Amino acid sequence: MEKREQLYEGKAKKVFATDDPKYCIVSYKDSATAFNGLKKGEIHDKGMINNRVTNHLMRLLAAAGIPTHYVEELSPRETLVKKVDIIPLEVIVRNIAAGSLSKRLGIPEGTKLKRTVLEYSYKNDDLGDPMVNDYHILAMEYATEEELKTIAGYALRINELLSDYLRDLHIELIDFKLEFGKTAGGEIVLADEISPDTCRFWDSVTHKKLDKDRFRQDLGGVEDAYKEILRRLLGE
Ligand code: UDP
């Protein structure tokens, strides 16, 4: 497949057309942003690590029956994916309180939640990705009832699969964000990325943060944390 014009440039990735309208090429960048773009920086090799970690986890999920947009890793930073219409929702899954949940509800970071929490945000940078519930999603037609049911089911199953897989690598999956898309054929598939940019990963023994919180909170050792995730997942 041949790479054609750039379709889109986001905060962490660029998307290119190919000579086949059913496929796109995603190219991961080293640039990092936080707090809705207010904080900016570079994380050396982040693009390569997020591309490889995402693809590794997408292959694992696909093997377990979750449909994804992943097709083929083309290079350390570039991946061929199915072209989808992104459903304008950030689907957040939480196992342990952290980040905005801790802040909003006054729950100390690290508190184990009695049940998994599923949250949605409407993807809109100008509005700061406001949280929405099922009623908003249906009223605003961000997704249909059937699509929402499918998305919630996949998100909870993905949480089980990833939590189990990561536990064996001594990584605790605190929370994460997913995005879904719809293919030309109308199938809902997992899209976007699953990486230290979009998940909170803590070392299960030391509880050390191995994710973008090191960048958000200026904790230092950002590059090393990303590298450590790559090493534990892909053995290098
Ligand atoms: N997250 C993300 N993109 C966003 C917002 C959140 O990838 O725009 C991820 C974040 O990395 C964390 C989870 O979703 O793993 C929950 O994030 P939270 O709502 O606590 O927001 P934050 O504290 O990141 O602002």
Side-chain angles (χ1 to χ4, degrees):
M1 208 139 324
E2 220 177 284
K3 189 162 152 189
R4 293 274 169 90
E5 78 277 10
Q6 184 176 308
L7 297 175
Y8 170 83
E9 175 160 12
K11 288 180 286 224
K13 297 188 282 299
K14 293 178 186 176
V15 181
F16 296 88
T18 68
D19 51 357
D20 184 333
K22 291 196 286 299
Y23 299 94
C24 294
I25 292 173
V26 182
S27 178
Y28 286 71
K29 309 192 286 184
D30 283 352
S31 35
T33 62
F35 313 118
N36 200 22
L38 246 52
K39 184 181 169 88
K40 290 191 178 73
E42 287 265 313
I43 302 175
H44 180 68
D45 276 349
K46 176 170 86 76
M48 177 273 288
I49 293 172
N50 284 359
N51 183 45
R52 300 189 57 206
V53 165
T54 294
N55 293 341
H56 179 72
L57 295 174
M58 290 260 182
R59 288 188 293 257
L60 180 140
L61 294 172
I66 305 286
T68 82
H69 75 160
Y70 173 79
V71 180
E72 187 192 356
E73 190 166 291
L74 301 174
S75 74
R77 282 174 190 273
E78 294 196 323
T79 296
L80 184 67
V81 299
K82 288 181 197 158
K83 177 154 188 162
V84 297
D85 286 327
I86 291 287
I87 303 216
L89 294 174
E90 299 200 333
V91 180
I92 292 169
V93 185
R94 302 180 183 275
N95 299 306
I96 292 181
S100 69
L101 178 102
S102 288
K103 216 168 154 189
R104 202 168 57 236
L105 301 180
I107 300 170
E109 189 169 82
T111 308
K112 188 170 166 31
L113 302 170
K114 302 267 194 235
R115 298 180 48 140
T116 301
V117 170
L118 202 56
E119 283 172 12
Y120 304 102
S121 297
Y122 172 49
K123 258 173 76 73
N124 183 313
D125 281 340
D126 294 337
L127 299 176
D129 298 337
M131 195 197 276
V132 290
N133 67 24
D134 297 48
Y135 291 91
H136 298 108
I137 293 169
L138 299 179
M140 264 50 89
E141 298 184 315
Y142 300 145
T144 67
E145 197 159 6
E146 195 193 332
E147 286 166 353
L148 193 56
K149 232 188 201 168
T150 303
I151 288 169
Y154 285 158
L156 295 174
R157 181 71 185 130
I158 291 167
N159 183 43
E160 290 175 356
L161 291 163
L162 293 183
S163 295
D164 288 351
Y165 172 71
L166 293 167
R167 194 174 301 116
D168 292 340
L169 305 174
H170 306 291
I171 299 166
E172 252 182 313
L173 182 58
I174 306 302
D175 59 29
F176 58 98
K177 185 263 300 178
L178 300 172
E179 293 183 27
F180 292 87
K182 211 159 133 179
T183 63
E187 191 192 11
I188 299 280
V189 300
L190 177 64
D192 196 50
E193 64 178 289
I194 311 176
S195 72
D197 270 13
T198 63
C199 303
R200 285 194 171 93
F201 296 133
W202 293 2
D203 182 286
S204 349
V205 179
T206 63
H207 304 297
K208 183 178 171 185
K209 291 177 176 168
L210 297 171
D211 56 55
K212 195 168 146 187
D213 271 352
R214 302 205 75 81
F215 170 77
R216 291 189 188 99
Q217 301 170 8
D218 293 316
L219 298 176
V222 184
E223 271 96 358
D224 284 346
Y226 279 69
K227 266 193 238 158
E228 178 63 16
I229 291 296
L230 180 70
R231 193 187 65 78
R232 289 201 201 178
L233 270 66
L234 285 119
E236 57 193 87

